[in-house]
Amino acid sequence: MPKTMRAALLDTAGAPEALRIGEIAYPDRVNAEFIVKVVASSVNPIDAKTRAGRGVFSAIHSFPVVLGHDFSGVVVESPYSAHPLRPGDEVFGMVMVPRLGGSYAEYIAVPSLSVVRKPATLSHIEAAAAPLAALTAWGMVVDVAKAHDGQRMLIHAGSGGVGHFAVQFASYFGAHVIATASGSKASWLRSLGAAEVVDYRTTRFEDVVHDVDVVIDLLGNVHDNTGSRSLASLRPGGLIVNAPTGSWPTFAEDTAAAGVRGTDYKVAPDGNTLGVIARLLESGNVRVHVDQIFELEQIADAHRAIESGHTRGKIALKVAEG
């Protein structure tokens, strides 16, 4: 095994230019971990927030650090010789950064419970774009909101990475999906299962959307108080699920005062759930949309793209050939 590997490194919080390409130590495998050669990764909003000094930056205790939660690649080392996933097998999943080194690197150490066989119908680029966003959407829509027939669900930022999976999962389980997005993305969202699309640029959603059972809040109050305004669209006793960290400081107080239920949500790298999602992806019942692909050396440009807020689906990162 090599002693070092190429990676995108962060030495201190800053703008996208704070990320640099350099050499770092090859990861150690301990206990029930895999070593995976990373073929592709993806860029998520949490990566950009952390790079800028927010997100999970406070949990970083040494530098340089490697960011990146999602990966798709090839097993190099398995936890033990009889493990069903062997060297050479194609796998995908996510890791919790900064507890473990991230996937903006040529190799990554991953707990065995977070590794799943890659769907054969997906490229590494497509597979790497799925785990964090799809697991977040599944947790909010299926585990917490219990999507089902007849349920009315409002999903904000429906065309984003988490949003486009949330629309598909909610629709798959029978919910009537109302998504907010720019008007140019309406027909695409309907093809994913949205029954209604509200153009946030021309229409105040709370003026036209009422008595929904659930709001999937992927924005909070970071722009135009979307989270607070959503309370007017919920039925009494309805549920709002909020994901973006720190996006709505008075969330608990505001939901209680409005007479609705509210919870935040944090994603877990659950391989069992990702295995279910993998089968939906392989069958074509759920699709992952990759909007842009960047080389690892273009990591700063990839971060600028995610921070623009106009991505349709996901931004992928090509790390190696495969």
Side-chain angles (χ1 to χ4, degrees):
M1 295 297 106
K3 293 184 178 180
T4 64
M5 62 178 179
R6 186 171 56 100
L9 306 175
L10 182 71
D11 299 302
T12 187
E17 294 76 20
L19 293 161
R20 63 178 175 88
I21 303 300
E23 293 287 319
I24 196 169
Y26 182 88
D28 294 314
R29 187 184 68 78
V30 296
N31 300 323
E33 290 181 344
F34 285 90
I35 298 293
V36 175
K37 178 184 178 181
V38 179
V39 175
S41 180
S42 81
V43 179
N44 293 286
I46 187 62
D47 301 338
K49 291 177 182 178
T50 300
R51 183 218 73 231
R54 305 186 305 276
V56 296
F57 185 84
S58 63
I60 300 173
H61 301 302
S62 63
F63 294 92
V65 66
V66 180
L67 303 180
H69 291 74
D70 296 320
F71 68 88
S72 182
V74 180
V75 174
V76 175
E77 298 179 41
S78 296
Y80 50 89
S81 59
H83 196 284
L85 292 174
R86 307 295 301 278
D89 287 346
E90 295 185 332
V91 295
F92 78 137
M94 66 167 284
V95 292
M96 297 306 292
V97 175
R99 298 299 187 200
L100 293 171
S103 57
Y104 296 175
E106 291 181 304
Y107 297 92
I108 189 170
V110 193
S112 59
L113 295 179
S114 300
V115 178
V116 176
R117 194 177 299 277
K118 180 182 77 67
T121 55
L122 268 60
S123 68
H124 282 293
I125 289 289
E126 292 168 323
L132 185 146
L135 284 168
T136 302
W138 183 279
M140 297 176 77
V141 169
V142 182
D143 292 340
V144 177
K146 311 294 184 187
H148 59 268
D149 286 336
Q151 187 182 50
R152 285 169 50 80
M153 187 177 296
L154 172 62
I155 299 175
H156 289 307
S159 62
V162 175
H164 88 295
F165 281 117
V167 167
Q168 293 180 81
F169 293 149
S171 174
Y172 181 81
F173 285 101
H176 178 95
V177 177
I178 308 163
T180 61
S182 63
S184 63
K185 298 168 183 173
S187 61
W188 176 63
L189 283 170
R190 289 191 180 95
S191 76
L192 296 181
E196 303 176 47
V197 180
V198 178
D199 185 347
Y200 70 88
R201 292 178 175 174
T202 62
T203 306
R204 304 286 283 183
F205 66 85
E206 67 271 29
D207 292 340
V208 296
V209 180
H210 305 107
D211 295 318
V212 297
D213 300 294
V214 177
V215 172
I216 301 298
D217 176 22
L218 303 175
L219 295 171
N221 279 343
V222 295
H223 177 71
D224 202 20
N225 289 326
T226 300
S228 295
R229 290 163 48 213
S230 299
L231 300 178
S233 293
L234 275 166
R235 64 168 175 79
L239 171 68
I240 181 167
V241 189
N242 170 268
T245 302
S247 62
W248 187 352
T250 58
F251 177 73
E253 296 87 345
D254 293 349
T255 53
V260 300
R261 295 170 293 143
T263 181
D264 59 355
Y265 182 78
K266 298 293 182 287
V267 66
D270 180 4
N272 287 331
T273 300
L274 187 58
V276 175
I277 294 170
R279 291 191 287 275
L280 291 173
L281 288 166
E282 190 155 28
S283 68
N285 286 303
V286 171
R287 310 195 305 268
V288 55
H289 181 82
V290 177
D291 192 33
Q292 298 180 73
I293 303 171
F294 293 87
E295 300 286 338
L296 181 62
E297 290 75 11
Q298 298 173 299
I299 186 62
D301 291 331
H303 271 235
R304 292 187 194 97
I306 198 71
E307 288 179 324
S308 74
H310 300 300
T311 301
R312 178 183 298 198
K314 289 298 301 291
I315 291 174
L317 198 64
K318 182 180 177 183
V319 178
E321 295 297 329

